[in-house]
């Protein structure tokens, strides 16, 4: 996980710096921005001081309504906790008193033209991804018809070649060789690249290709939510299971369970087509449909 600083926030959202220029190296360790409301009236029992403090129209209008002594008291109570930074939205003005305190306490005071709700959504999303627990695994990540899939297997088994076939069929590459997995929530696993391998796919006997240059911008996607873990393995006679519905299996990544499927490889077998079938089958199961259940119902209706 790469550390996030106030400077990163400034660059990401083109924020104006009003105070605290020398403290932009301050780390941001929490993923949710906070709007100090109760704190302005003196309640600090659960003040999340490590969060970015967001000052919208309500907060600034309230401060403007106070007398100078009251305003100095309320602002003084907050800045002594030294949050990483304050961000004022909607390009609000009349902030001399706030600038004064932030300069004295060396707390970055920033400003954006964005609305409070829009900026809060954007900064929360950015921080949740940037600060998420992450691991890197060997494999390939693809998006098949909007469904994020991990392709795993031993080196040389054919992961990248399968991904290439999927790309030619209109699906998208996310990462090849090194896949970065980020735990965005207790149930959400995000797959992305490590930056260096972005858009690149390594094919044996061919070498590196840039999928965006070769097949167009639609051939690549920066990230995707992972919902299927598919392991490609070498063909083993009598090892395939032809049950109507296989017992569900899962792989754990940072305590998130992802449905696991094994696909065995054999010359002439349409592996990319099987990956597409697995993706579409997963989608139908999310809609409550099971082909095995429908088949059994047909058998039962024939016997009645």
């Amino acid at each position: 996980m790469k550390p996030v600083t106030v400077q990163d926030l400034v660059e990401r959202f083109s924020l104006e710096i009003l105070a605290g220029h020398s403290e932009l190296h301050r780390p941001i360790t929490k993923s949710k921005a906070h709007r100090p409301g109760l704190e302005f009236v003196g309640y600090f029992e659960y003040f999340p001081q490590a969060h970015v403090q967001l000052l919208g129209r309500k907060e600034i209008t309230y401060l403007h309504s106070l007398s100078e002594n009251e305003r100095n008291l309320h602002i003084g109570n907050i800045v002594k906790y030294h949050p990483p930074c304050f961000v004022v939205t909607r390009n609000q003005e009349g902030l001399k008193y706030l600038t004064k305190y932030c300069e004295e306490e060396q707390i970055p005071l920033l400003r954006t033209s964005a609305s409070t709700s829009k900026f809060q959504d954007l900064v929360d999303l950015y921080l949740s991804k940037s600060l998420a627990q992450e691991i890197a695994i060997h494999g390939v990540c693809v998006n098949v018809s909007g469904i994020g899939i991990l392709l795993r297997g031993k080196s040389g088994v054919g992961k990248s070649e399968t991904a290439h076939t999927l790309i030619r069929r209109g699906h998208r590459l996310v990462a090849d060789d090194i896949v970065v997995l980020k735990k965005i929530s207790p149930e959400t696993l995000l797959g992305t690249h490590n930056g260096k391998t972005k858009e690149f796919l390594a094919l044996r006997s061919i070498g590196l290709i840039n999928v965006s240059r070769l097949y167009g911008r639609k051939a690549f996607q920066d990230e995707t939510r992972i919902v299927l873990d598919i392991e490609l393995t070498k063909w083993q006679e009598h090892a395939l299971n032809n049950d109507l519905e296989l017992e569900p299996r899962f792989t754990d990544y940072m305590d998130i369970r992802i449905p696991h499927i094994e696909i065995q490889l054999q010359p002439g077998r349409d592996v990319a087509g099987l990956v597409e079938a697995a993706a579409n089958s997963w989608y139908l199961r999310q809609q409550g449909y099971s082909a095995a259940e429908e088949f059994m119902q047909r058998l039962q209706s024939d016997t009645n």
Side-chain angles (χ1 to χ4, degrees):
M1 180 178 66
K2 179 185 175 183
V4 178
T5 66
V6 176
Q7 179 69 50
D8 294 325
L9 212 62
V10 169
E11 294 175 357
R12 177 76 177 189
F13 298 104
S14 302
L15 302 178
E16 180 185 2
I17 306 169
L18 302 179
H21 291 73
S22 64
E23 294 298 312
L24 298 182
H25 62 275
R26 283 186 172 204
I28 299 174
T29 60
K30 300 296 182 181
S31 60
K32 296 289 184 180
H34 173 68
R35 298 183 67 176
L38 289 174
E39 292 78 18
F40 279 140
V41 295
Y43 186 78
F44 289 90
E45 187 69 26
Y46 300 104
F47 179 40
Q49 62 193 68
H51 294 243
V52 171
Q53 304 299 310
L54 199 57
L55 303 177
R57 182 177 290 169
K58 290 181 180 178
E59 290 80 15
I60 296 299
T61 301
Y62 172 73
L63 289 175
H64 286 348
S65 71
L66 299 176
S67 67
E68 182 177 353
N69 288 337
E70 290 175 324
R71 188 188 301 138
N72 291 340
L73 174 63
H74 293 322
I75 296 174
N77 285 338
I78 288 182
V79 297
K80 70 181 182 182
Y81 285 92
H82 285 86
C85 65
F86 289 97
V87 182
V88 177
T89 61
R90 294 183 176 274
N91 273 342
Q92 296 177 91
E93 298 181 345
L95 306 174
K96 288 184 178 180
Y97 55 88
L98 192 57
T99 303
K100 171 180 174 291
Y101 268 100
C102 288
E103 286 287 8
E104 289 177 355
E105 296 293 334
Q106 287 298 289
I107 301 172
L109 175 62
L110 314 171
R111 184 162 61 184
T112 176
S113 61
S115 68
T116 309
S117 58
K118 180 180 180 181
F119 183 77
Q120 185 163 17
D121 289 343
L122 290 173
V123 77
D124 284 354
L125 180 61
Y126 167 69
L127 291 176
S128 66
K129 290 181 180 180
S130 301
L131 298 173
Q133 179 185 357
E134 65 179 48
I135 58 172
I137 67 167
H138 176 67
V140 177
C141 181
V142 289
N143 184 283
V144 177
S145 300
I147 297 169
I149 296 176
L150 274 178
L151 295 177
R152 296 188 299 108
K154 293 182 179 180
S155 180
V157 77
K159 301 182 295 296
S160 298
E161 289 79 2
T162 300
H164 179 251
T165 303
L166 289 167
I167 292 166
R168 293 186 61 207
R169 293 184 181 183
H171 306 297
R172 296 177 176 181
L173 174 71
V174 176
D176 180 43
D177 189 35
I178 298 174
V179 181
V180 178
L181 300 178
K182 295 189 174 187
K183 184 178 182 179
I184 303 301
S185 76
E187 298 83 27
T188 306
L189 189 69
L190 198 70
T192 186
H193 52 82
N194 66 356
K196 297 178 181 178
T197 60
K198 180 180 179 179
E199 301 177 326
F200 287 124
L201 184 65
L203 299 174
R204 288 177 180 268
S205 304
I206 303 297
L208 276 179
I209 64 169
N210 185 310
V211 297
S212 295
R213 295 291 185 93
L214 203 58
Y215 298 110
R217 293 171 58 188
K218 291 184 178 180
F220 174 77
Q221 184 169 317
D222 202 56
E223 59 188 27
T224 188
R225 181 186 176 189
I226 302 296
V227 297
L228 274 179
D229 177 71
I230 296 180
E231 184 179 6
L232 304 182
T233 61
K234 292 184 178 181
W235 183 272
Q236 297 180 29
E237 292 291 341
H238 311 300
L240 289 180
N241 196 325
N242 290 319
D243 291 346
L244 292 181
E245 189 160 37
L246 298 176
E247 189 71 23
R249 293 190 294 169
F250 299 89
T251 305
D252 281 3
Y253 294 104
M254 294 175 288
D255 297 323
I256 298 178
R257 299 179 76 206
I258 303 296
H260 172 84
I261 297 173
E262 179 183 339
I263 296 179
Q264 293 191 9
L265 308 181
Q266 189 181 44
R269 200 169 195 221
D270 183 9
V271 179
L274 293 174
V275 172
E276 289 177 318
N280 292 330
S281 179
W282 176 88
Y283 176 79
L284 288 175
R285 285 198 298 272
Q286 305 313 300
Q287 308 305 308
Y289 173 79
S290 168
E293 289 181 7
E294 182 182 3
F295 181 69
M296 293 303 298
Q297 289 172 1
R298 291 183 183 182
L299 291 179
Q300 291 174 0
S301 63
D302 289 341
T303 57
N304 291 338

